[in-house]
Amino acid sequence: MNELATPAPAGSEPEAELSADARAAQFAQQVGQLRDAVIEKLTYSVGKDRNTASERDWFISVALATRDHIVNDWMRSVRAAYQENRRRVYYLSLEFLIGRLLIDSLTNLGLVEQMRAALSSLDMDLDKLRQVEPDAALGNGGLGRLAACFMESMATLSIAGHGYGIRYDNGMFRQTITDGWQHEYPEDWLDFGNPWEFPRPEVAHNIGFGGVVDAMPRDNGSPARIWRPSETVVAAAYDTPIVGWPGADKSNFVNTLRLWSARAPDPLRLDVFNEGDYVGALADQVRAESISKILYPADSTPAGQELRLRQEYFFASASLQDLIRRHLRQNGDIDALADYVVIQLNDTHPAIAVAEMMRLLVDVYVLDWDRAWEITQATFCYTNHTLLPEALETWPAPLMERLLPRHMQIIYLINARHLDRLRAEGMEDPGKLSALSLIDEHHGRHVRMGHLAFLGSHKVNGVSALHTELVKQTVFRDFNEIYPDRIVNKTNGVTFRRWLLEANPHLTKLLAETIGKDFYNDAEALKALEPLATDLDFQARFAGARLANKTALAGLIADRMMIKVDPNAIFDVQIKRIHEYKRQLLNILQTIAHYNDIRAHPMRDCVPRVKIFAGKAAASYHMAKLIIKLANDVARVVNNDPTVRDLLKVVFLPNYNVSLAEAIIPAADLSEQISTAGMEASGTGNMKMALNGALTIGTLDGANVEIREHVGADNICIFGLTAEEVAVRRARGNDARDTIAASPMLREVLESIRDGAFSPDDRNRYATLVDMLTYHDYFLVTADFDAYCATQMNIARRWRDRKSWWRSAILNTARTGWFSSDRTIAEYADDIWKVPVRPS
Ligand SMILES: *Cc1c(COP(=O)(O)O)cnc(C)c1O
């Protein structure tokens, strides 16, 4: 019996019921037990003693001791879901960008301070050990991080939720910057074991590929289709418990993230091995296991590779087999599946699950087609994450035919029935029919995965109000006319536990002292700060908390980059994947303009700024890599120019990941959200920084629109073309020569880049980049340049008026509670999943 099973969560004030003495005694008891547990893990699980243990050994011991606390609640949560026969939510995502779990777990268990004290009594430092944990980086960026926030919020709201994904051996690559260029190195998060996961070798499913489909007469006369795959791969389960924030009853609900790892069914062909062909004997194993070897590191562009389709089908099939087995074990009746199961597809990556569900229902469970289709549609929901036409997944029909012959048949049949129905309802326009077809016939046949996901789902959602509107007007315009109620909006959110409580303890402490701890349970309670926004004493304390964060980030920058930055300067931050539509280039051009201005007017009193960039470029995305190089070239020139003094520093921090985000976000004064309007579906980095008290400089794109509505137009700096204006402008073509000619500042900036001012070693390096901006400025960097620079100058003016700046910053924190992923998940639960939530 674990006596620490009901920890005191910081937010729910159980302490108030205890006397101070009793509280101190309970704390001391928990510290003692944790200390003993850590030593026991170190000795018996890691096999080291205190004198020889490395920091990694200590970390593993601390993680295992923490995990023990989760397990009882986990089992209780699993039992509750069974006993109440709850409707379950399955979140299928090819990406989960989790980051570290130690502080996250301890926070939700209410044991951070107890563990800190326990370690301190062993001469160990929790804050040092937490840095030893590798990031679980099973995702590229926003989409994967959203899945991680959603898992945490589902547990917090006591939804019986299961995440399904792939346990990649190598997650997101490690980025280094050498001489300004990005290099990619394999990331090895599993090398020293993963203390959070439980291997489940008994949970394994066979996944077929290739082969042929036979027709066999059935008893009832209609032919059965038998798929005889030529290849089988085994999906083996690994479970990670995901702890929610405790509810009103002080208990933690715990859900499971189940990740699949690929195995060969017969790892070593002994017959081949005995004949001396050692390499051949391993070939099948290597081919099978390659499926879960590596995360595709491309963001917003489809991989289009056979291995990627194998990954998609592998995890979709394993997950469906698993959840159907669970359903049948409990309810016995496949026909009732949709009553007990809802499956959310995170983008089109798992969309092949629609065809797999039909195959299982029709071929394996022998339901008739129409009933199977009803169940499928009633079970699936799909989230669209992008409008970029190049990012909409399609698969060549011949490839799908070869890899998944039965699924190709099923997709053709779904499509034939869908088009028949449209014709029967009077649709004759061949253009419309071809736009609505699951098969794109334009340049060789391709299966449109977005169309398949739409058709197979009862709800389809966009991720911000603007994005959902554009989804209705563009990619799914024709579908929306036929199914006008299917598309709904669910604006993204972020979990406040990680992005405020854990990432920003200084601010959290101040907030708790000022408005109490209600906001721990309900982010909307941050509203109580509003009256304090003009309180000078509170402003000073707010500024003090932020200065502590900025000083810590300045230390990190000094350590890693050997660049000295002044914590009193504006920290102007753009951290996200490097992509042309996100327009890091616009920020860099403005940086150069500002640099030119400082040099031209050395005596002018100007506000010191630190420009902070971080982000990875897909390895094959040459322009994105060139943008990284330019940021680094500009940094070198600016940081080494004595006339600039401390007025401007430019820092590109390598290897952006969740942990680096946690260090930067609490220190950001200005949050750069400057995508070409209409192109960023939502953004979540924008929410994290506003919550932590940064002002946003941004376009009216994605969730920026709703951030403006919540914080108020006076407390956000909006500039640039709107999505509508972007569309109009693009219709006129992307030649920017007139725009450049009309802006002397922009001309000077582009000329200095073209002339090699930032690349004296290779004066031609940026010629193509400048040409691109001049003749094909698809992302409208030049069109928004002047407005952006003017807004940046306004920001410098605002910064001088500290009372007004801190008022806006405080109001950003006070008014962004709505962007909690608890709110987002409650909306999904209510509107899409039809499951109850238990508010914390
Ligand atoms: C939040 C987050 C993102 C998403 O950032 P956007 O600015 O919304 O693109 C990407 N990567 C990491 C590590 C994050 O924490």
Side-chain angles (χ1 to χ4, degrees):
M1 174 65 199
N2 187 337
E3 289 177 56
L4 292 186
T6 46
S12 46
E13 304 281 359
E15 310 97 21
E17 296 153 19
L18 298 176
S19 69
D21 282 353
R23 226 182 308 150
Q26 186 192 41
F27 186 90
Q29 189 194 20
Q30 290 176 327
V31 170
Q33 285 169 340
L34 283 173
R35 180 193 148 104
D36 293 348
V38 169
I39 291 295
E40 194 205 284
K41 295 295 174 193
L42 186 66
T43 312
Y44 297 107
S45 300
V46 178
K48 289 281 184 77
D49 73 18
R50 283 177 62 180
N51 302 320
T52 57
S54 66
E55 284 203 324
R56 197 175 271 124
D57 296 327
W58 280 104
F59 160 70
I60 299 276
S61 309
V62 171
L64 290 175
T66 304
R67 194 180 75 167
D68 280 1
H69 279 268
I70 300 171
V71 169
N72 286 331
D73 287 327
W74 192 19
M75 292 180 176
R76 195 178 40 73
S77 307
V78 168
R79 269 198 308 274
Y82 265 102
Q83 281 162 5
E84 296 161 28
N85 201 6
R86 297 247 214 120
R87 182 168 159 84
R88 294 169 191 273
V89 178
Y90 292 96
Y91 197 82
L92 267 59
S93 180
L94 212 47
E95 302 192 8
F96 287 92
L97 186 49
I98 297 166
R100 294 173 175 149
L101 279 174
L102 179 58
I103 295 299
D104 201 51
S105 304
L106 286 171
T107 299
N108 284 3
L109 292 169
L111 290 175
V112 176
E113 292 314 315
Q114 291 87 329
M115 185 62 92
R116 190 187 306 283
L119 287 173
S120 156
S121 76
L122 295 164
D123 290 328
M124 298 303 297
D125 178 355
L126 178 62
D127 288 318
K128 252 167 111 183
L129 285 188
R130 71 191 278 189
Q131 310 286 342
V132 174
E133 179 172 5
D135 270 42
L138 309 182
N140 276 285
L143 174 147
R145 184 52 233 173
L146 185 76
C149 283
F150 279 8
M151 286 304 297
E152 201 261 5
S153 279
M154 277 195 264
T156 293
L157 297 180
S158 293
I159 291 170
H162 302 248
Y164 277 124
I166 294 181
R167 181 181 178 272
Y168 303 104
D169 296 343
N170 296 106
M172 190 57 200
F173 65 79
R174 188 164 54 83
Q175 178 197 54
T176 64
I177 303 290
T178 328
D179 195 23
W181 294 103
Q182 166 176 301
H183 296 275
E184 304 93 32
Y185 290 89
E187 166 281 350
D188 48 8
W189 70 299
L190 293 172
D191 271 13
F192 293 90
N194 174 1
W196 304 112
E197 73 183 4
F198 291 82
R200 305 289 192 206
E202 75 284 8
V203 181
H205 300 284
N206 287 334
I207 315 297
F209 290 101
V212 293
V213 181
D214 292 333
M216 299 268 283
R218 234 187 229 153
D219 294 349
N220 66 6
S222 73
R225 307 287 165 177
I226 312 282
W227 176 27
R228 303 189 193 285
S230 56
E231 182 191 351
T232 301
V233 176
V234 174
Y238 288 76
D239 288 349
T240 301
I242 305 290
V243 195
W245 181 253
D249 66 354
K250 324 271 191 282
S251 72
N252 296 89
F253 198 79
V254 182
N255 276 328
T256 306
L257 172 62
R258 175 161 282 183
L259 300 178
W260 301 107
S261 184
R263 302 268 179 277
D266 186 5
L268 200 57
R269 298 258 320 271
L270 274 184
D271 52 339
V272 182
F273 193 81
N274 289 338
E275 283 161 20
D277 180 7
Y278 306 119
V279 175
L282 288 167
D284 287 351
Q285 183 179 6
V286 169
R287 181 172 160 76
E289 295 183 355
S290 68
I291 291 179
S292 56
K293 210 64 210 159
I294 188 158
L295 166 82
Y296 269 90
D299 185 63
S300 303
T301 41
Q305 304 287 322
E306 178 171 338
L307 181 61
R308 172 74 171 206
L309 182 56
R310 285 165 67 87
Q311 288 185 336
E312 295 185 355
Y313 178 64
F314 165 80
F315 106 99
S317 175
S319 308
L320 292 197
Q321 292 185 53
D322 203 51
L323 68 88
I324 288 175
R325 191 172 67 180
R326 184 176 296 113
H327 167 74
L328 289 179
R329 217 186 280 149
Q330 179 148 27
N331 293 297
D333 182 8
I334 191 73
D335 200 67
L337 186 74
D339 296 339
Y340 294 101
V341 165
V342 57
I343 301 171
Q344 188 71 44
L345 303 174
N346 195 23
D347 214 300
T348 56
H349 314 149
I352 190 66
V354 170
E356 172 70 353
M357 180 66 93
M358 286 300 286
R359 183 186 75 84
L360 292 167
L361 295 180
V362 172
D363 293 359
V364 179
Y365 296 99
V366 209
L367 295 184
D368 73 57
W369 180 277
D370 290 333
R371 181 62 191 142
W373 185 242
E374 265 173 31
I375 294 174
T376 298
Q377 277 192 320
T379 306
F380 281 101
C381 318
Y382 151 59
T383 305
N384 174 279
H385 283 274
T386 178
L387 304 167
L388 303 183
E390 73 272 22
L392 295 175
E393 272 190 307
T394 65
W395 288 105
L399 169 62
M400 196 170 274
E401 191 117 40
R402 176 162 59 76
L403 214 57
L404 301 169
R406 180 57 182 143
H407 298 79
M408 196 64 241
Q409 286 182 348
I410 288 170
I411 289 168
Y412 280 134
L413 194 51
I414 294 172
N415 196 37
R417 293 189 167 224
H418 156 62
L419 296 176
D420 281 350
R421 200 190 127 184
L422 295 177
R423 283 193 211 94
E425 285 168 1
M427 184 177 290
E428 282 163 6
D429 179 356
K432 259 210 164 134
L433 286 166
S434 111
L436 283 158
S437 172
L438 298 191
I439 310 295
D440 180 354
E441 311 265 2
H442 283 85
H443 12 256
R445 298 188 143 190
H446 285 76
V447 182
R448 293 167 164 152
M449 301 309 277
H451 284 30
L452 178 63
F454 189 106
L455 212 55
S457 298
H458 59 286
K459 290 279 183 205
V460 174
N461 74 285
V463 290
S464 70
L466 173 67
H467 169 68
T468 299
E469 206 38 55
L470 294 172
V471 165
K472 289 182 182 172
Q473 286 169 20
T474 61
V475 273
F476 291 129
R477 185 189 158 136
D478 296 316
F479 275 105
N480 187 51
E481 275 176 20
I482 305 168
Y483 305 103
D485 300 327
R486 197 169 292 184
I487 301 178
V488 296
N489 177 244
K490 293 287 160 272
T491 300
N492 284 166
V494 299
T495 166
F496 279 34
R497 272 71 67 184
R498 184 178 288 268
W499 296 110
L500 180 61
L501 274 55
E502 296 158 33
N504 200 344
H506 290 298
L507 184 59
T508 302
K509 182 162 174 284
L510 171 63
L511 298 178
E513 286 167 6
T514 312
I515 57 169
K517 294 179 177 174
D518 287 352
F519 72 95
Y520 285 26
N521 299 316
D522 173 12
E524 295 275 6
L526 288 168
K527 280 239 164 2
L529 276 178
E530 279 192 27
L532 291 154
T534 48
D535 178 316
L536 294 187
D537 181 52
F538 182 71
Q539 284 193 353
R541 298 176 72 201
F542 191 90
R546 298 190 42 83
L547 185 63
N549 298 333
K550 291 171 72 176
T551 305
L553 181 59
L556 185 152
I557 291 170
D559 285 352
R560 294 195 192 169
M561 314 296 298
M562 301 200 295
I563 298 173
K564 192 171 146 287
V565 301
D566 176 4
N568 292 301
I570 301 183
F571 280 18
D572 175 346
V573 173
Q574 188 170 24
I575 49 174
K576 49 183 75 242
R577 286 302 289 256
I578 310 295
H579 205 293
E580 285 162 281
Y581 85 79
K582 291 178 182 274
R583 297 202 296 192
Q584 281 91 357
L585 209 39
L586 179 57
N587 191 350
I588 297 169
L589 298 190
Q590 188 269 333
T591 305
I592 295 172
H594 187 44
Y595 170 62
N596 291 342
D597 195 48
I598 293 173
R599 285 193 307 167
H601 309 281
M603 302 310 289
R604 192 189 285 166
D605 181 24
C606 100
V607 173
R609 249 193 227 245
V610 183
K611 286 273 188 183
I612 297 169
F613 295 90
K616 292 173 183 174
S620 58
Y621 191 170
H622 297 295
M623 184 54 76
K625 290 176 126 175
L626 193 59
I627 291 169
I628 292 177
K629 175 63 174 163
L630 179 59
N632 280 284
D633 276 347
V634 171
R636 194 196 56 245
V637 170
V638 170
N639 297 343
N640 292 313
D641 187 334
T643 57
V644 174
R645 292 154 291 157
D646 279 342
L647 295 177
L648 179 62
K649 294 276 183 211
V650 182
V651 179
F652 188 101
L653 279 163
N655 203 34
Y656 183 52
N657 59 13
V658 172
S659 294
L660 187 57
E662 287 166 355
I664 298 174
I665 286 169
D669 294 306
L670 188 61
S671 160
E672 298 269 357
Q673 309 298 339
I674 58 178
S675 51
T676 313
M679 300 198 78
E680 185 73 89
S682 164
T684 48
N686 46 4
M687 302 168 187
K688 298 168 197 165
M689 284 193 265
L691 169 66
N692 279 278
L695 268 60
T696 301
I697 178 168
T699 47
L700 280 178
D701 200 14
N704 296 353
V705 176
E706 288 151 272
I707 292 177
R708 181 175 71 159
E709 282 163 15
H710 280 85
V711 305
D714 291 346
N715 303 305
I716 185 170
C717 305
I718 297 292
F719 72 95
L721 300 174
T722 63
E724 268 175 27
E725 289 164 350
V726 164
V728 170
R729 183 101 187 191
R730 277 188 183 149
R732 290 196 339 231
N734 300 315
D735 190 320
R737 277 176 292 182
D738 291 349
T739 313
I740 296 167
S743 168
M745 193 160 50
L746 178 56
R747 216 170 50 225
E748 185 189 347
V749 168
L750 291 179
E751 273 165 16
S752 66
I753 298 174
R754 182 192 285 286
D755 292 349
F758 303 96
S759 54
D761 53 325
D762 176 4
R763 293 197 174 268
N764 273 326
R765 181 174 297 140
Y766 298 111
T768 50
L769 186 148
V770 175
D771 277 349
M772 191 257 315
L773 287 175
T774 311
Y775 300 105
H776 317 280
D777 185 15
Y778 180 73
F779 299 97
L780 298 165
V781 171
T782 54
D784 275 342
F785 179 80
D786 281 356
Y788 178 61
C789 290
T791 308
Q792 285 284 21
M793 293 213 280
N794 261 329
I795 282 165
R797 271 195 294 278
R798 283 175 84 138
W799 179 259
R800 287 181 194 279
D801 180 359
R802 287 318 186 72
K803 278 185 223 165
S804 146
W805 182 279
W806 292 122
R807 176 178 175 278
S808 287
I810 293 165
L811 288 176
N812 267 269
T813 298
R815 295 175 175 173
T816 35
W818 189 77
F819 295 94
S820 162
S821 48
D822 295 350
R823 185 270 314 157
T824 313
I825 288 297
E827 286 185 12
Y828 274 90
D830 188 47
D831 197 28
I832 300 184
W833 301 336
K834 309 293 179 195
V835 297
V837 303
R838 180 207 67 180
S840 54

